[in-house]
Each structure stands twice: as structure tokens, then as C-alpha cells.
């Protein structure tokens, strides 16, 4: 495609919906003005005009697929024949699947915990230090980078050269400078998962940091000063005032990172592609979408397993929303 | 601000400094490496490129066709470092066993009585009474001090030869509509959810909140099927730019709507009522009153969605071809990781190019970015 047709496609895509809203609202105004239909229906019709595009997209891309994926998980690889729980039974017996579940659990346990912990500690540090804003920017920066970009950055850190060569990967250079042997980090089973998780922690700490920083500003200054006057140590203030105050925020950050970790795909796909026992559900699912021409049944089972992980969070969100609406 | 010098403050500063170093070093290393000469990059760590270092190198002199006759001597003259500037020879040798046998400026006498002299700037002079007969030159081992030197060669190579320039354009073509379309349709949707009364509003709101956390993976298989059927039915390519725009719109719809709804419902009720009394329709209220007030909220949401789309890999892999005319940056980068895994000059440069736009947005619009994230986190 040449550049002019590219630009015109982009513009057409953007203006299509703007024109839709203008046009239909204009038509409605016209119809009401000349009393073609009663004034009573104006608001209902206008709400349909406002809602229709978004609702159609929501239905096509989220609501329908959720139920369709659940349905497909009971069908064969082409989605034609009903086979009951066979795909689920396959999954339970499959080694890759078990390995993925274990790895996913590891990710779920370690990444949200450490990201939240680092975020909280750094937010407290930056709050008290005059160059804290710059530090915050730097630690937050990985949030802007793609997982694949981060993958390249860290693959370079983990790079391995033979023992006689000069190491160009930072980690091995440090290891060698301590007189130890260089390692091919990403190929050591079990441990390599930790090296992959480090990337996610590196990225998500920034998120925790900025949200905690915003929340910290909400702590009343008087409370902190009163505690200091009473002679409480900084550590005591942190545990007895700041942590209880941030309880809700900690929970929120935890859930955000948990949801993200459940779907983790890019990092593993780019770094190891699931080799050396690093596969997780999202990678296995992508794999089964295309392996041997694609198996929609098995792929759906794997997607559904990820969904099961978010159901408690989904229920909790809905519960809180209902409480808020009623107050 | 006042700086207190007590132990706990110094400890806190040191702790924060170590965090900052650990967090910046990976990106900094990538950035530096993308400007390094590819041959150096392959044999030495990026941290050595910031200072003047000693390097041991092997060069070969010119062969017989380079010789000139001057009086009784046949002489071959040239410079070892024809590319690098600022390098200085410290010493040199002519056998691999004694690679720094001679100090620069001295003359090495070889077995065949010919003499090689190497100067500090890399010039050399090889003279002999007999005519040189070998086509191949002689190996000379040089120890030189090499100052930091950087190049744009990698960028030229990656952008034009490896096709990252095209991928960059493709990513823009994907990202702009994929951000502006959801912003348009969700702003009307969120307005309706916040300020219009209609049947089923609560259920719609609940389904938005539920959709916020539904993993992308739940949608991939059914939507890919729909796209393939649609493509087959109308005889068009199933994977196309409009297709991925709509997919991104779908996956970003819940969060965009939720954030906008949160913002719009906090607008003062009196303002809306006043406009209504004046006979304004909802469309007028939306375009003339709400829209101008929402610009900061739009900016935050635009940035979040734009970065999400720009950095996405999975949607791009599933809904676009890997053909050069469609492939996006992240997918291209992943492809390079597979095919050029050892060519760090290509990988580091490619990764940095893919990061330029996010980093630019990050540093220029950080305030809006953070505001969006914080707003999203308070509830979602």
C-alpha cells in the first residue's frame, strides 16, 4: 500500500464514526422538528443512537466470544462435534498443561507481591527525598515500554558467552567479576522462570509506585506529625499508620497486577517461547490456536482456565459496584 | 527544599539510588549499545564503551599490489584504522606469541629482513630491499587505546534494510484509529450511561464492569473464526487494518468506557439541567458542554489506549499478517529475536526504535499518563 492510500484508510476509519453520530443525530433532530414521529420518543431513539456502535462492538468482541469460547471447549478441534469433557480430560493429563499451571501459580505468587512491595517501599522513599520526583520518573519509565521491547532489553542482560570469551551480558559480567562461572540463565529450568518474572516486576513496580504515591498524599499530615511528636519511629509509622491507610490501595494494585500476570504472554513468547519449562497458560493457548492447523477445543479450554482465575476478581468488582450504586 | 543530613536520610537516599540504578541500567545499556559499532558490540560489554579502553586487534597489511619503489626499497604504506577516529596505537607485535613486543614508533625486523614500523595514528610502513611477492599482506597485532565512539550505522541498517521503517509506519496505521475509534464511540456510550435514562442501563453498566477483567484470550478463537468466515463470505482478506482496528476497539472498549463514565458522571448536574431547560438536545449538551470539559480526561485515556495498542503483540499476531506490508513493530522485533538472535546491533537498535514513540509520549505527557492510570486504578 502506498502512503496516500494508507493515510486515507486511517482517516476513513477515524471519521466513519464521527460522521455516523453527526448524521443520525441530525436526522433525528429533523424528524422531531417536522413532527414525523412524536416528541415522546426522542430520548429513547437518541439513546439508541448513542449506544448502538459501542454495544455492537462490546457484544461482538467480548460478550458473545466469552460464551462461544465456553461452548467451543466442549467441541472437537474444528468446533463441529460435541465431545463433552474430553478436552478437559486431555488438559489434566497433559504435561505441558500441568507445567503451565504450576508456572502460572508461581507468577501469580511472586510478581504481584514483589511489585507491590517494591512500589510501596520506593513510594515512601521518594516521598521524603528531594530528588524523589526524578527517581519516580525513572522507575516508572518501563511502564511505557512494550513487553517485547523489555524482552530484548533483558535478553541482552542475560546474554551468555562461553567461559573463555568476554561476557557482553551485564548479569554474566557481574557474575564473572566475582570469580564465578557464567551461566546461560534462560535455559536453567525452574530458575529461568524467576529471570522472566524479574522483567514483569521491573515493569509493574512503576505502576504500583505511582498509585501508592498518589494515595500517600491522602494521608493527613496531622496524623503523621502527631505520631512523630509522640516519638514513633519511621518504621513504626510505616507499619501502624501508612500500611493500614493504604490497605484498599494495596488490594487494588494487587488485583490489577494479578489480572495482568494471568494473561502474561509477550514476555515468554519473545524470550523463550515456552522452552526450558517456562510455558504458561496464555502461551500454550496461543500455541494450540495454530498447532497442527489449530485446535479450537483445546485452545478454548486453556482460555477458560485463565478466565477462571479472574472470576473471583470479577465478582468482587461487581459486588463493590452494586454497593456504590445503592449508596 | 531543605536537605537533612542524618544517617537515616542518607541510608534512604542510598537505597533509592540503588533502586534507580537497577531500574535504569537495562534501558541505558540498550540505548548505548544501539549506537555502538557492531563488531565492538559483539566482543565487549556496553559499559566498556563509555571510557577509553585498551583493545587488542589484529590487522593485515596490504599485499604486493600496494607497494611502491623508493630508491633501493620497496615500501607498503597505509593506515590500519581507516574508519575509527581517535584511536592510538600503544604497542604492536608481529607474532601471535608476542603481540606487544614493540613500542609504537619502533621498528620490527622480520625474518626476511624486511622492516615494519607502526605509528601512533595507525600509519604503518613496511619496507624491504626485495620486491614483495605475496598477494596477502602480513598480520600485525596492535594494542591500541580506543576512545568512546558512536555511530548511526545500526539505525540506517535496521530502518531501511531490515524493514523496521515499514513496520513503524504500519504500527502508526494500526495505533491511531485503534485509539480514536474507541474514544469516539465510548464517549457517546459513557455519556448515555451517565446522563440518559433508558431501559437496561444498569445491566449494561454491570457488563462493562465485568468486561474490564475478562482476559483477551477468551475472545481470540471466536473472533478469529468470525473474521475468517467474514473474509471467505465477502472474498476479502480476513486479516486487515480495519479488522485489527475493530479488534482493538473491542478489547479497549470496557476500560475506555469505564474511565469516561467515571469522569462524566462527576460533572455537575445543574449544568446539564440548565442546558436542558434552554431546549438543548443530548447531542448539543454532549458536543458543546461536555466535550470541551473532558479534554484532560480524553488526553489521559488517549495516552493509555495508544500505548496499549502500540505495545501490543498478541492482537497484532492474531489479526494481522506477518507480511512486511502489515507487520507491526512488536511482531517484527519478535521475528528479529528469532532470526537475528546473535546480532545485538540489530536487536538493540530495533528495540530502541520501537520504544521511541512511547518514550516520547511518556516524557512529554507523563502527567496525563499517570492521571489516567491512577483514575483507572481507583476502581477497576
Amino acid at each position: 500500500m502506498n502512503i496516500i492510500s494508507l493515510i486515507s484508510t486511517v482517516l476513513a476509519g477515524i471519521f466513519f464514526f464521527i460522521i455516523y453520530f453527526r448524521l443520525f443525530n441530525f436526522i433525528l433532530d429533523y424528524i422531531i422538528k417536522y413532527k414525523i414521529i412524536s416528541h415522546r420518543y426522542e430520548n429513547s431513539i437518541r439513546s439508541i443512537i448513542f449506544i448502538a456502535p459501542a454495544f455492537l462492538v462490546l457484544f461482538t468482541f467480548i460478550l458473545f466470544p466469552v460464551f462461544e469460547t465456553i461452548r467451543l471447549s466442549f467441541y472437537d478441534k474444528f468446533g463441529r462435534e460435541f465431545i463433552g469433557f474430553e478436552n478437559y480430560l486431555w488438559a489434566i493429563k497433559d504435561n505441558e498443561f500441568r507445567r503451565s499451571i504450576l508456572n502460572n501459580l508461581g507468577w501469580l505468587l511472586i510478581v504481584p507481591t514483589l511489585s507491590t512491595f517494591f512500589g510501596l517501599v520506593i513510594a515512601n522513599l521518594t516521598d521524603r527525598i528531594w530528588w524523589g520526583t526524578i527517581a519516580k520518573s525513572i522507575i516508572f519509565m518501563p511502564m511505557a515500554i512494550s513487553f517485547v521491547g523489555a524482552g530484548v532489553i533483558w535478553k541482552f542482560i542475560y546474554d551468555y558467552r562461553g567461559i573463555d570469551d568476554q561476557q557482553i551480558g551485564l548479569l554474566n559480567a557481574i557474575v564473572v567479576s566475582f570469580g564465578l562461572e557464567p551461566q546461560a540463565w534462560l535455559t536453567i529450568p525452574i530458575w529461568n522462570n524467576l529471570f522472566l518474572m524479574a522483567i514483569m516486576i521491573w515493569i509493574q513496580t512503576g505502576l504500583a509506585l505511582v498509585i501508592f504515591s498518589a494515595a500517600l498524599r491522602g494521608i493527613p499530615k496531622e496524623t503523621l506529625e502527631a505520631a512523630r511528636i509522640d516519638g514513633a519511629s519511621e518504621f513504626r509509622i510505616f507499619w501502624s499508620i501508612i500500611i493500614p491507610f493504604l490497605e484498599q490501595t494495596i488490594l487494588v494494585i494487587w488485583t490489577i497486577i494479578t489480572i495482568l500476570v494471568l494473561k502474561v504472554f509477550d514476555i515468554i513468547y519473545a524470550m523463550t517461547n515456552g522452552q526450558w519449562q517456562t510455558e504458561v497458560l496464555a502461551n500454550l493457548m496461543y500455541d494450540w490456536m495454530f498447532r497442527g492447523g489449530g485446535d479450537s477445543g483445546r485452545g478454548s479450554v486453556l482460555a477458560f482456565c485463565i478466565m477462571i482465575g479472574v472470576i473471583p476478581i470479577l465478582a468482587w468488582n461487581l459486588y463493590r459496584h452494586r454497593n456504590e450504586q445503592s449508596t | 527544599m531543605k536537605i537533612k543530613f542524618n544517617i537515616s536520610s542518607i541510608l534512604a537516599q542510598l537505597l533509592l539510588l540503588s533502586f534507580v540504578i537497577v531500574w535504569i541500567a537495562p534501558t541505558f545499556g540498550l540505548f548505548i549499545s544501539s549506537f555502538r559499532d557492531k563488531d565492538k558490540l559483539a566482543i565487549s560489554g556496553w559499559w566498556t564503551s563509555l571510557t577509553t579502553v585498551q583493545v587488542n586487534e589484529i590487522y593485515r597489511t596490504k599485499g604486493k599490489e600496494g607497494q611502491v619503489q623508493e630508491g633501493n626499497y620497496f615500501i607498503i604504506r597505509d593506515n590500519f584504522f581507516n574508519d575509527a577516529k581517535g584511536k592510538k596505537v600503544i604497542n604492536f607485535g608481529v607474532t601471535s606469541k608476542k603481540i606487544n613486543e614493540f613500542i609504537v614508533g619502533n621498528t620490527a625486523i622480520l625474518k626476511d629482513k624486511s622492516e615494519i614500523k607502526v605509528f601512533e595514528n595507525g600509519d604503518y610502513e613496511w619496507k624491504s630491499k626485495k620486491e614483495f611477492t605475496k598477494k596477502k599482506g602480513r598480520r600485525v597485532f596492535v594494542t591500541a587505546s580506543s576512545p568512546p565512539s558512536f555511530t548511526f550505522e545500526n539505525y540506517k541498517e535496521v530502518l531501511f534494510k531490515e524493514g523496521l521503517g515499514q513496520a513503524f509506519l504500519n504500527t502508526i496505521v494500526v495505533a491511531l484509529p485503534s485509539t480514536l475509534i474507541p474514544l469516539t464511540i465510548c464517549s457517546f456510550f459513557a455519556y448515555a450511561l451517565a446522563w440518559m435514562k433508558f431501559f437496561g442501563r444498569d445491566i449494561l453498566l454491570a457488563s462493562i464492569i465485568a468486561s474490564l477483567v475478562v482476559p483477551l484470550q477468551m475472545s481470540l478463537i471466536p473472533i478469529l473464526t468470525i473474521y475468517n468466515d467474514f473474509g471467505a463470505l465477502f472474498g476479502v482478506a480476513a486479516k486487515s487494518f480495519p479488522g485489527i482496528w475493530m479488534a482493538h476497539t473491542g478489547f479497549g472498549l470496557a476500560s475506555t468506557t469505564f474511565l469516561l463514565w467515571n469522569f462524566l458522571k462527576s460533572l455537575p448536574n445543574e449544568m446539564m439541567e440548565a442546558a436542558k431547560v434552554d431546549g438543548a438536545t443530548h447531542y448539543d449538551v454532549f458536543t458543546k458542554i461536555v466535550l470541551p470539559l473532558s479534554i484532560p480526561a480524553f488526553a489521559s485515556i488517549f495516552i493509555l489506549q495508544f500505548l496499549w495498542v502500540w505495545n501490543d503483540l498478541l492482537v497484532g499476531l492474531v489479526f494481522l499478517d506477518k507480511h512486511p506490508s502489515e507487520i507491526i513493530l512488536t511482531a517484527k522485533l519478535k521475528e528479529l529475536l528469532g532470526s537475528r538472535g546473535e546480532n545485538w546491533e540489530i536487536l538493540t537498535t530495533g528495540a530502541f526504535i520501537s520504544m521511541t514513540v512511547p518514550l516520547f509520549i511518556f516524557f512529554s505527557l507523563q502527567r496525563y499518563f499517570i492521571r489516567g492510570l491512577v483514575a483507572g486504578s481507583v476502581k477497576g
Side-chain angles (χ1 to χ4, degrees):
Chain A
M1 252 197 269
N2 62 43
I3 206 102
I4 295 169
S5 73
L6 272 185
I7 293 173
S8 48
T9 336
V10 168
L11 289 179
I14 293 168
F15 282 106
F16 178 82
F17 288 98
I18 295 177
I19 292 167
Y20 158 85
F21 285 112
R22 283 233 102 164
L23 186 67
F24 276 82
N25 277 290
F26 178 77
I27 293 173
L28 181 63
D29 288 345
Y30 184 85
I31 291 173
I32 299 294
K33 195 175 166 192
Y34 292 98
K35 303 216 164 60
I36 296 170
I37 52 170
S38 159
H39 189 271
R40 272 189 301 157
Y41 299 116
E42 185 194 338
N43 273 347
S44 325
I45 295 174
R46 206 181 296 277
S47 62
I48 291 171
I49 294 172
F50 275 36
I51 293 166
F55 179 75
L56 282 178
V57 171
L58 181 72
F59 183 81
T60 321
F61 286 87
I62 314 255
L63 302 181
F64 161 73
V66 166
F67 295 103
E68 177 71 359
T69 297
I70 296 174
R71 185 185 74 85
L72 283 173
S73 71
F74 295 103
Y75 280 71
D76 69 348
K77 67 182 281 193
F78 305 108
R80 291 193 197 122
E81 215 170 305
F82 182 80
I83 53 169
F85 282 94
E86 215 162 284
N87 289 322
Y88 289 86
L89 290 173
W90 158 81
I92 293 168
K93 285 185 203 141
D94 187 55
N95 277 333
E96 279 177 312
F97 175 78
R98 290 189 203 170
R99 164 66 46 200
S100 305
I101 291 276
L102 279 181
N103 283 344
N104 259 109
L105 286 177
W107 277 78
L108 283 176
L109 222 59
I110 294 170
V111 175
T113 315
L114 287 185
S115 305
T116 314
F117 174 74
F118 286 141
L120 190 55
V121 170
I122 298 170
N124 271 287
L125 288 174
T126 53
D127 211 29
R128 297 188 287 159
I129 291 171
W130 59 275
W131 48 277
T133 328
I134 303 166
K136 222 181 331 187
S137 268
I138 289 172
I139 292 168
F140 182 49
M141 194 192 64
M143 272 298 288
I145 299 173
S146 67
F147 287 148
V148 186
V152 174
I153 290 177
W154 283 82
K155 205 162 185 184
F156 193 41
I157 299 240
Y158 297 146
D159 186 76
Y160 167 74
R161 297 287 149 120
I163 194 157
D164 299 322
D165 293 327
Q166 228 193 70
Q167 299 297 328
I168 67 166
L170 189 59
L171 186 60
N172 272 324
I174 293 170
V175 165
V176 168
S177 76
F178 281 109
L180 301 167
E181 260 185 46
Q183 302 286 339
W185 304 105
L186 292 175
T187 60
I188 312 167
I190 315 292
W191 294 101
N192 50 9
N193 285 300
L194 294 179
F195 295 114
L196 296 176
M197 289 176 205
I199 305 171
M200 194 62 143
I201 295 168
W202 180 70
I203 296 172
Q204 293 304 320
T205 296
L207 175 82
L209 169 64
V210 292
I211 298 174
F212 277 132
S213 281
L216 276 177
R217 258 173 254 136
I219 298 181
K221 285 263 172 342
E222 300 79 38
T223 321
L224 293 177
E225 267 160 36
R228 286 204 181 98
I229 289 166
D230 287 348
S233 68
E234 287 299 320
F235 191 71
R236 182 74 203 277
I237 292 174
F238 184 71
W239 272 116
S240 303
I241 299 175
I242 296 179
I243 294 274
F245 187 86
L246 292 181
E247 209 174 296
Q248 201 68 20
T249 316
I250 293 173
L251 212 57
V252 167
I253 293 172
W254 203 290
T255 51
I256 294 177
I257 301 177
T258 299
I259 293 170
L260 205 76
V261 165
L262 268 170
K263 300 186 288 190
V264 62
F265 164 79
D266 311 28
I267 293 179
I268 293 149
Y269 184 67
M271 300 281 283
T272 61
N273 203 3
Q275 283 173 288
W276 308 294
Q277 305 182 14
T278 54
E279 62 267 86
V280 291
L281 285 173
N283 280 80
L284 204 56
M285 190 239 156
Y286 179 81
D287 200 23
W288 276 109
M289 272 179 77
F290 301 103
R291 194 192 281 185
D295 188 323
S296 69
R298 290 177 182 181
S300 297
V301 168
L302 295 163
F304 188 57
C305 287
I306 302 173
M307 182 72 195
I308 290 172
V310 302
I311 283 177
I313 299 170
L314 194 156
W316 185 56
N317 276 355
L318 279 177
Y319 169 78
R320 280 195 314 167
H321 171 68
R322 208 186 57 186
N323 278 1
E324 264 164 39
Q325 291 301 92
S326 59
T327 49
Chain B
M1 226 178 270
K2 208 171 97 182
I3 309 165
K4 282 188 214 150
F5 285 100
N6 57 39
I7 292 179
S8 88
S9 157
I10 289 170
L11 278 180
Q13 300 216 22
L14 283 178
L15 188 59
L16 186 59
L17 189 66
S18 48
F19 272 117
V20 167
I21 291 171
V22 171
W23 251 258
I24 193 80
T27 319
F28 187 68
L30 180 95
F31 177 69
I32 294 293
S33 298
S34 70
F35 290 103
R36 289 185 73 201
D37 183 66
K38 66 177 177 190
D39 299 325
K40 282 190 195 162
L41 184 55
I43 53 159
S44 61
W46 58 266
W47 51 92
T48 62
S49 69
L50 300 174
T51 50
T52 301
V53 286
Q54 278 199 12
V55 286
N56 294 317
E57 289 166 327
I58 304 169
Y59 289 101
R60 199 174 274 283
T61 64
K62 277 188 177 170
K64 64 174 183 182
E65 67 275 13
Q67 64 186 318
V68 286
Q69 196 175 2
E70 285 179 15
N72 291 334
Y73 289 100
F74 292 90
I75 301 178
I76 296 175
R77 278 201 198 91
D78 199 16
N79 188 303
F80 286 132
F81 317 139
N82 30 28
D83 48 344
K85 278 179 190 147
K87 259 189 184 175
K88 282 180 185 164
V89 180
I90 299 167
N91 38 42
F92 67 99
V94 287
T95 60
S96 60
K97 280 176 191 149
K98 292 178 181 171
I99 59 166
N100 37 24
E101 194 178 0
F102 306 100
I103 294 168
V104 66
N106 289 9
T107 306
I109 299 168
L110 306 176
K111 273 185 200 155
D112 62 357
K113 303 268 169 56
S114 65
E115 299 168 5
I116 292 186
K117 197 171 179 181
V118 178
F119 301 93
E120 198 181 58
N121 64 357
D123 281 347
Y124 65 89
E125 196 178 273
W126 185 16
K127 64 182 183 181
S128 169
K129 285 190 174 168
K130 283 176 273 175
E131 192 177 346
F132 292 102
T133 51
K134 282 183 185 158
K135 237 184 178 173
K136 240 178 165 184
R138 198 189 158 77
R139 278 201 301 174
V140 177
F141 300 86
V142 172
T143 304
S145 73
S146 171
S149 74
F150 299 103
T151 161
F152 283 103
E153 271 313 303
N154 302 335
Y155 282 86
K156 274 189 213 153
E157 161 107 22
V158 165
L159 278 174
F160 303 111
K161 283 195 199 140
E162 292 289 338
L164 232 77
Q166 178 68 37
F168 193 92
L169 280 181
N170 294 342
T171 310
I172 294 176
V173 172
V174 170
L176 276 180
S178 297
T179 312
L180 291 170
I181 293 172
L183 212 55
T184 312
I185 67 173
C186 292
S187 60
F188 282 94
F189 192 32
Y191 177 86
L193 288 173
W195 292 103
M196 293 166 97
K197 289 191 184 71
F198 56 89
F199 174 75
R201 189 172 78 158
D202 292 338
I203 295 172
L204 263 186
L205 205 50
S207 50
I208 287 287
I209 286 164
S211 305
L212 276 176
V213 297
V214 170
L216 181 56
Q217 279 82 3
M218 282 303 272
S219 303
L220 291 181
I221 292 173
I223 297 198
L224 193 60
T225 316
I226 294 176
Y227 274 31
N228 286 335
D229 292 349
F230 185 87
L233 192 63
F234 293 97
V236 292
K239 297 178 173 186
S240 63
F241 286 126
I244 196 171
W245 296 340
M246 293 322 289
H248 273 304
T249 303
F251 302 137
L253 188 125
S255 58
T256 309
T257 307
F258 182 76
L259 285 171
L260 278 170
W261 170 76
N262 237 342
F263 172 79
L264 292 179
K265 80 177 159 91
S266 67
L267 291 174
N269 193 15
E270 297 77 31
M271 200 172 64
M272 305 288 175
E273 292 302 322
K276 283 285 181 51
V277 172
D278 292 346
T281 64
H282 275 297
Y283 185 74
D284 296 331
V285 175
F286 178 79
T287 50
K288 298 207 177 91
I289 301 174
V290 172
L291 217 50
L293 284 174
S294 318
I295 298 297
F298 274 17
S300 297
I301 295 164
F302 177 89
I303 292 168
L304 285 183
Q305 172 76 3
F306 185 84
L307 285 182
W308 199 91
V309 174
W310 188 276
N311 288 335
D312 156 80
L313 170 69
L314 185 53
V315 180
L317 279 179
V318 176
F319 295 107
L320 276 183
D321 258 340
K322 284 186 180 148
H323 188 267
S325 67
E326 284 192 0
I327 197 165
I328 51 167
L329 272 174
T330 45
K332 183 80 201 171
L333 208 52
K334 156 64 193 160
E335 203 179 271
L336 290 177
L337 263 174
S339 62
R340 311 292 295 268
E342 288 303 310
N343 294 60
W344 280 111
E345 79 281 2
I346 289 177
L347 292 173
T348 54
T349 312
F352 196 74
I353 289 171
S354 81
M355 284 156 51
T356 48
V357 170
L359 287 182
F360 174 76
I361 291 178
F362 174 80
F363 283 113
S364 55
L365 301 166
Q366 197 182 13
R367 206 157 41 102
Y368 292 103
F369 184 26
I370 291 179
R371 206 179 286 169
L373 278 177
V374 172
S377 73
V378 173
K379 301 262 169 76

